[in-house]
Amino acid sequence: MPTNMTLFSINAILILSTDDRTRILTKYYSAPHPPLHAPPGSSYPGANPYPTVKDQKAFEKGLMDKTNKQTSDVILYDNRVVVFKMEGDVMLYVVGGADENEVLLFSVVLALRDSLNILLKTSTDRRTIIENYDLVALAIDEIVDDGIILETDPVIIASRVSKPPAQDMVNMKNIDLSEQGLLNVWEFGKQKLAERMRQGL
């Protein structure tokens, strides 16, 4: 049995432009609580492998150079498993540890691609992602939280991002906001308060 069993499987989710090789949206994850036995600055499961922006941009540049001419969807780069998909003029990357399951990471990149296709009406390109940045960021947050995979079904992800849950919405049709309705509410409140005062609560 491996000693480093952890739920933290995603180190980063990247959306990069293939035209000018710029970052559109990048999220790097680290475990919220490092293990007690891990010395400061050490690598542990769930640690952010690229803590500074300079390290992140260097990793992204090298990753774009490496995947630019690749025909496969899975590579090993910088001792990390990277799965990726090209959509229009953007590349979607999911980065995991070297010992991470490629099928699991691939299901995350497919969930991201398919949920963006649903949310953005099948036009996943740089301009559309920037115009709908809030939906894209929420979709990524629904898929992964602090490196832990939460959901991989694109229909569920899109439904959570695009509309509020029905049980949280107040049904305004049954509320009487007329003067008589407000007087009824006032009388009801007075009665309940009087009952509680009589009971000594």
Side-chain angles (χ1 to χ4, degrees):
M1 182 172 215
T3 57
N4 291 333
M5 288 198 56
T6 178
L7 291 174
F8 302 102
S9 52
I10 306 294
N11 291 128
I13 292 182
L14 314 170
I15 301 177
L16 304 176
S17 173
T18 57
D19 293 340
D20 52 359
R21 296 176 177 235
T22 57
R23 38 174 32 188
I24 299 172
L25 189 148
T26 60
K27 286 196 173 226
Y28 288 84
Y29 300 103
S30 61
H33 306 289
L36 296 176
H37 63 287
S42 67
S43 177
Y44 56 89
N48 184 353
Y50 310 104
T52 65
V53 175
K54 182 180 177 184
D55 294 340
Q56 293 172 3
K57 288 188 175 184
F59 173 74
E60 293 162 11
K61 182 183 181 308
L63 189 60
M64 283 294 286
D65 292 339
K66 177 98 174 180
T67 58
N68 205 14
K69 298 173 183 133
Q70 288 287 329
T71 56
S72 65
D73 293 333
V74 179
I75 63 167
L76 185 65
Y77 177 72
D78 198 23
N79 203 25
R80 306 267 168 222
V81 175
V82 179
V83 294
F84 59 95
K85 279 288 187 191
M86 183 168 185
E87 284 291 309
D89 59 350
V90 296
M91 289 286 272
L92 310 172
Y93 294 98
V94 175
V95 181
D99 56 346
E100 198 53 59
N101 185 345
E102 296 89 3
V103 176
L104 182 68
L105 297 177
F106 195 68
S107 68
V108 172
V109 81
L110 290 180
L112 177 60
R113 181 197 67 182
D114 295 342
S115 61
L116 291 181
N117 282 338
I118 293 169
L119 289 169
L120 304 177
K121 310 290 188 262
T122 68
S123 80
T124 307
D125 57 1
R126 182 177 194 262
R127 180 178 177 192
T128 311
I129 288 175
I130 291 172
E131 288 173 355
N132 297 289
Y133 197 84
D134 55 342
L135 291 177
V136 176
L138 285 172
I140 290 174
D141 288 343
E142 286 294 327
I143 296 170
V144 176
D145 183 34
D146 280 336
I148 300 171
I149 300 170
L150 300 177
E151 185 65 60
T152 58
D153 186 353
V155 176
I156 293 174
I157 295 163
S159 68
R160 287 181 183 165
V161 169
S162 60
K163 63 179 179 180
Q167 69 268 18
D168 292 345
M169 294 175 56
V170 177
N171 188 358
M172 295 297 286
K173 293 179 183 174
N174 297 334
I175 298 176
D176 183 14
L177 295 177
S178 66
E179 186 175 340
Q180 184 59 43
L182 294 174
L183 287 174
N184 291 342
V185 169
W186 174 257
E187 288 300 320
F188 180 76
K190 279 187 358 186
Q191 288 175 357
K192 288 296 179 184
L193 181 63
E195 286 176 15
R196 287 193 182 257
M197 293 190 69
R198 272 188 247 125
Q199 292 173 357
L201 297 176

PDB file of all heavy atoms in Angstrom, residues 101-117:
ATOM      1  N   ASN A 101      -2.965   8.923 -11.742  1.00  0.00           N
ATOM      2  CA  ASN A 101      -3.659   8.126 -12.748  1.00  0.00           C
ATOM      3  C   ASN A 101      -4.007   9.003 -13.951  1.00  0.00           C
ATOM      4  O   ASN A 101      -4.745   9.983 -13.822  1.00  0.00           O
ATOM      5  CB  ASN A 101      -4.920   7.537 -12.116  1.00  0.00           C
ATOM      6  CG  ASN A 101      -5.654   6.587 -13.023  1.00  0.00           C
ATOM      7  OD1 ASN A 101      -5.420   6.547 -14.219  1.00  0.00           O
ATOM      8  ND2 ASN A 101      -6.542   5.815 -12.431  1.00  0.00           N
ATOM      9  N   GLU A 102      -3.516   8.621 -15.129  1.00  0.00           N
ATOM     10  CA  GLU A 102      -3.736   9.414 -16.339  1.00  0.00           C
ATOM     11  C   GLU A 102      -5.204   9.426 -16.751  1.00  0.00           C
ATOM     12  O   GLU A 102      -5.697  10.426 -17.274  1.00  0.00           O
ATOM     13  CB  GLU A 102      -2.900   8.877 -17.509  1.00  0.00           C
ATOM     14  CG  GLU A 102      -1.415   8.977 -17.323  1.00  0.00           C
ATOM     15  CD  GLU A 102      -0.838   7.747 -16.626  1.00  0.00           C
ATOM     16  OE1 GLU A 102      -1.590   6.789 -16.339  1.00  0.00           O
ATOM     17  OE2 GLU A 102       0.365   7.752 -16.339  1.00  0.00           O
ATOM     18  N   VAL A 103      -5.901   8.319 -16.523  1.00  0.00           N
ATOM     19  CA  VAL A 103      -7.317   8.233 -16.905  1.00  0.00           C
ATOM     20  C   VAL A 103      -8.144   9.203 -16.058  1.00  0.00           C
ATOM     21  O   VAL A 103      -9.048   9.873 -16.561  1.00  0.00           O
ATOM     22  CB  VAL A 103      -7.830   6.782 -16.766  1.00  0.00           C
ATOM     23  CG1 VAL A 103      -9.307   6.702 -17.068  1.00  0.00           C
ATOM     24  CG2 VAL A 103      -7.041   5.849 -17.664  1.00  0.00           C
ATOM     25  N   LEU A 104      -7.807   9.299 -14.784  1.00  0.00           N
ATOM     26  CA  LEU A 104      -8.497  10.236 -13.900  1.00  0.00           C
ATOM     27  C   LEU A 104      -8.265  11.674 -14.353  1.00  0.00           C
ATOM     28  O   LEU A 104      -9.205  12.478 -14.443  1.00  0.00           O
ATOM     29  CB  LEU A 104      -8.014  10.043 -12.466  1.00  0.00           C
ATOM     30  CG  LEU A 104      -8.658  10.907 -11.401  1.00  0.00           C
ATOM     31  CD1 LEU A 104     -10.108  10.510 -11.216  1.00  0.00           C
ATOM     32  CD2 LEU A 104      -7.906  10.777 -10.104  1.00  0.00           C
ATOM     33  N   LEU A 105      -7.023  12.018 -14.665  1.00  0.00           N
ATOM     34  CA  LEU A 105      -6.712  13.366 -15.137  1.00  0.00           C
ATOM     35  C   LEU A 105      -7.377  13.643 -16.480  1.00  0.00           C
ATOM     36  O   LEU A 105      -7.854  14.754 -16.732  1.00  0.00           O
ATOM     37  CB  LEU A 105      -5.198  13.553 -15.250  1.00  0.00           C
ATOM     38  CG  LEU A 105      -4.401  13.448 -13.952  1.00  0.00           C
ATOM     39  CD1 LEU A 105      -2.919  13.582 -14.227  1.00  0.00           C
ATOM     40  CD2 LEU A 105      -4.860  14.459 -12.941  1.00  0.00           C
ATOM     41  N   PHE A 106      -7.424  12.626 -17.333  1.00  0.00           N
ATOM     42  CA  PHE A 106      -8.044  12.800 -18.645  1.00  0.00           C
ATOM     43  C   PHE A 106      -9.553  13.028 -18.504  1.00  0.00           C
ATOM     44  O   PHE A 106     -10.144  13.810 -19.243  1.00  0.00           O
ATOM     45  CB  PHE A 106      -7.761  11.590 -19.537  1.00  0.00           C
ATOM     46  CG  PHE A 106      -8.053  11.836 -20.979  1.00  0.00           C
ATOM     47  CD1 PHE A 106      -7.275  12.721 -21.716  1.00  0.00           C
ATOM     48  CD2 PHE A 106      -9.099  11.202 -21.620  1.00  0.00           C
ATOM     49  CE1 PHE A 106      -7.535  12.965 -23.043  1.00  0.00           C
ATOM     50  CE2 PHE A 106      -9.362  11.435 -22.946  1.00  0.00           C
ATOM     51  CZ  PHE A 106      -8.580  12.319 -23.669  1.00  0.00           C
ATOM     52  N   SER A 107     -10.174  12.378 -17.519  1.00  0.00           N
ATOM     53  CA  SER A 107     -11.608  12.607 -17.302  1.00  0.00           C
ATOM     54  C   SER A 107     -11.859  14.041 -16.843  1.00  0.00           C
ATOM     55  O   SER A 107     -12.894  14.636 -17.163  1.00  0.00           O
ATOM     56  CB  SER A 107     -12.178  11.607 -16.300  1.00  0.00           C
ATOM     57  OG  SER A 107     -11.662  11.844 -15.015  1.00  0.00           O
ATOM     58  N   VAL A 108     -10.910  14.639 -16.130  1.00  0.00           N
ATOM     59  CA  VAL A 108     -11.053  16.034 -15.694  1.00  0.00           C
ATOM     60  C   VAL A 108     -10.955  16.975 -16.885  1.00  0.00           C
ATOM     61  O   VAL A 108     -11.756  17.908 -17.024  1.00  0.00           O
ATOM     62  CB  VAL A 108      -9.999  16.383 -14.615  1.00  0.00           C
ATOM     63  CG1 VAL A 108     -10.013  17.869 -14.307  1.00  0.00           C
ATOM     64  CG2 VAL A 108     -10.247  15.595 -13.363  1.00  0.00           C
ATOM     65  N   VAL A 109      -9.978  16.749 -17.776  1.00  0.00           N
ATOM     66  CA  VAL A 109      -9.840  17.637 -18.933  1.00  0.00           C
ATOM     67  C   VAL A 109     -11.033  17.479 -19.879  1.00  0.00           C
ATOM     68  O   VAL A 109     -11.499  18.455 -20.473  1.00  0.00           O
ATOM     69  CB  VAL A 109      -8.482  17.449 -19.652  1.00  0.00           C
ATOM     70  CG1 VAL A 109      -8.473  16.257 -20.574  1.00  0.00           C
ATOM     71  CG2 VAL A 109      -8.106  18.697 -20.433  1.00  0.00           C
ATOM     72  N   LEU A 110     -11.581  16.278 -19.993  1.00  0.00           N
ATOM     73  CA  LEU A 110     -12.790  16.096 -20.810  1.00  0.00           C
ATOM     74  C   LEU A 110     -13.998  16.769 -20.169  1.00  0.00           C
ATOM     75  O   LEU A 110     -14.833  17.354 -20.867  1.00  0.00           O
ATOM     76  CB  LEU A 110     -13.062  14.611 -21.029  1.00  0.00           C
ATOM     77  CG  LEU A 110     -12.097  13.875 -21.947  1.00  0.00           C
ATOM     78  CD1 LEU A 110     -12.493  12.405 -22.069  1.00  0.00           C
ATOM     79  CD2 LEU A 110     -12.034  14.521 -23.317  1.00  0.00           C
ATOM     80  N   ALA A 111     -14.104  16.693 -18.841  1.00  0.00           N
ATOM     81  CA  ALA A 111     -15.202  17.373 -18.149  1.00  0.00           C
ATOM     82  C   ALA A 111     -15.108  18.877 -18.349  1.00  0.00           C
ATOM     83  O   ALA A 111     -16.124  19.545 -18.579  1.00  0.00           O
ATOM     84  CB  ALA A 111     -15.173  17.032 -16.661  1.00  0.00           C
ATOM     85  N   LEU A 112     -13.897  19.421 -18.286  1.00  0.00           N
ATOM     86  CA  LEU A 112     -13.708  20.853 -18.512  1.00  0.00           C
ATOM     87  C   LEU A 112     -14.091  21.225 -19.940  1.00  0.00           C
ATOM     88  O   LEU A 112     -14.832  22.178 -20.157  1.00  0.00           O
ATOM     89  CB  LEU A 112     -12.259  21.244 -18.220  1.00  0.00           C
ATOM     90  CG  LEU A 112     -11.872  22.693 -18.471  1.00  0.00           C
ATOM     91  CD1 LEU A 112     -12.702  23.624 -17.604  1.00  0.00           C
ATOM     92  CD2 LEU A 112     -10.397  22.911 -18.232  1.00  0.00           C
ATOM     93  N   ARG A 113     -13.605  20.466 -20.902  1.00  0.00           N
ATOM     94  CA  ARG A 113     -13.905  20.763 -22.307  1.00  0.00           C
ATOM     95  C   ARG A 113     -15.400  20.686 -22.588  1.00  0.00           C
ATOM     96  O   ARG A 113     -15.988  21.597 -23.178  1.00  0.00           O
ATOM     97  CB  ARG A 113     -13.166  19.786 -23.218  1.00  0.00           C
ATOM     98  CG  ARG A 113     -13.419  20.049 -24.697  1.00  0.00           C
ATOM     99  CD  ARG A 113     -13.036  18.896 -25.556  1.00  0.00           C
ATOM    100  NE  ARG A 113     -13.930  17.771 -25.273  1.00  0.00           N
ATOM    101  CZ  ARG A 113     -13.808  16.593 -25.868  1.00  0.00           C
ATOM    102  NH1 ARG A 113     -12.837  16.370 -26.711  1.00  0.00           N
ATOM    103  NH2 ARG A 113     -14.653  15.621 -25.589  1.00  0.00           N
ATOM    104  N   ASP A 114     -16.038  19.614 -22.138  1.00  0.00           N
ATOM    105  CA  ASP A 114     -17.461  19.429 -22.430  1.00  0.00           C
ATOM    106  C   ASP A 114     -18.341  20.431 -21.689  1.00  0.00           C
ATOM    107  O   ASP A 114     -19.332  20.920 -22.236  1.00  0.00           O
ATOM    108  CB  ASP A 114     -17.885  18.005 -22.095  1.00  0.00           C
ATOM    109  CG  ASP A 114     -17.190  16.977 -22.982  1.00  0.00           C
ATOM    110  OD1 ASP A 114     -16.663  17.360 -24.048  1.00  0.00           O
ATOM    111  OD2 ASP A 114     -17.160  15.793 -22.599  1.00  0.00           O
ATOM    112  N   SER A 115     -17.992  20.761 -20.447  1.00  0.00           N
ATOM    113  CA  SER A 115     -18.792  21.758 -19.726  1.00  0.00           C
ATOM    114  C   SER A 115     -18.632  23.139 -20.350  1.00  0.00           C
ATOM    115  O   SER A 115     -19.597  23.908 -20.418  1.00  0.00           O
ATOM    116  CB  SER A 115     -18.438  21.778 -18.242  1.00  0.00           C
ATOM    117  OG  SER A 115     -17.095  22.117 -18.053  1.00  0.00           O
ATOM    118  N   LEU A 116     -17.436  23.467 -20.848  1.00  0.00           N
ATOM    119  CA  LEU A 116     -17.260  24.747 -21.544  1.00  0.00           C
ATOM    120  C   LEU A 116     -18.034  24.767 -22.851  1.00  0.00           C
ATOM    121  O   LEU A 116     -18.594  25.797 -23.228  1.00  0.00           O
ATOM    122  CB  LEU A 116     -15.777  25.025 -21.804  1.00  0.00           C
ATOM    123  CG  LEU A 116     -14.925  25.325 -20.575  1.00  0.00           C
ATOM    124  CD1 LEU A 116     -13.492  25.609 -20.983  1.00  0.00           C
ATOM    125  CD2 LEU A 116     -15.490  26.465 -19.770  1.00  0.00           C
ATOM    126  N   ASN A 117     -18.099  23.636 -23.548  1.00  0.00           N
ATOM    127  CA  ASN A 117     -18.904  23.567 -24.771  1.00  0.00           C
ATOM    128  C   ASN A 117     -20.381  23.799 -24.478  1.00  0.00           C
ATOM    129  O   ASN A 117     -21.072  24.472 -25.240  1.00  0.00           O
ATOM    130  CB  ASN A 117     -18.711  22.226 -25.476  1.00  0.00           C
ATOM    131  CG  ASN A 117     -17.409  22.159 -26.244  1.00  0.00           C
ATOM    132  OD1 ASN A 117     -16.846  23.182 -26.603  1.00  0.00           O
ATOM    133  ND2 ASN A 117     -16.928  20.957 -26.478  1.00  0.00           N
TER     134      ASN A 117
END
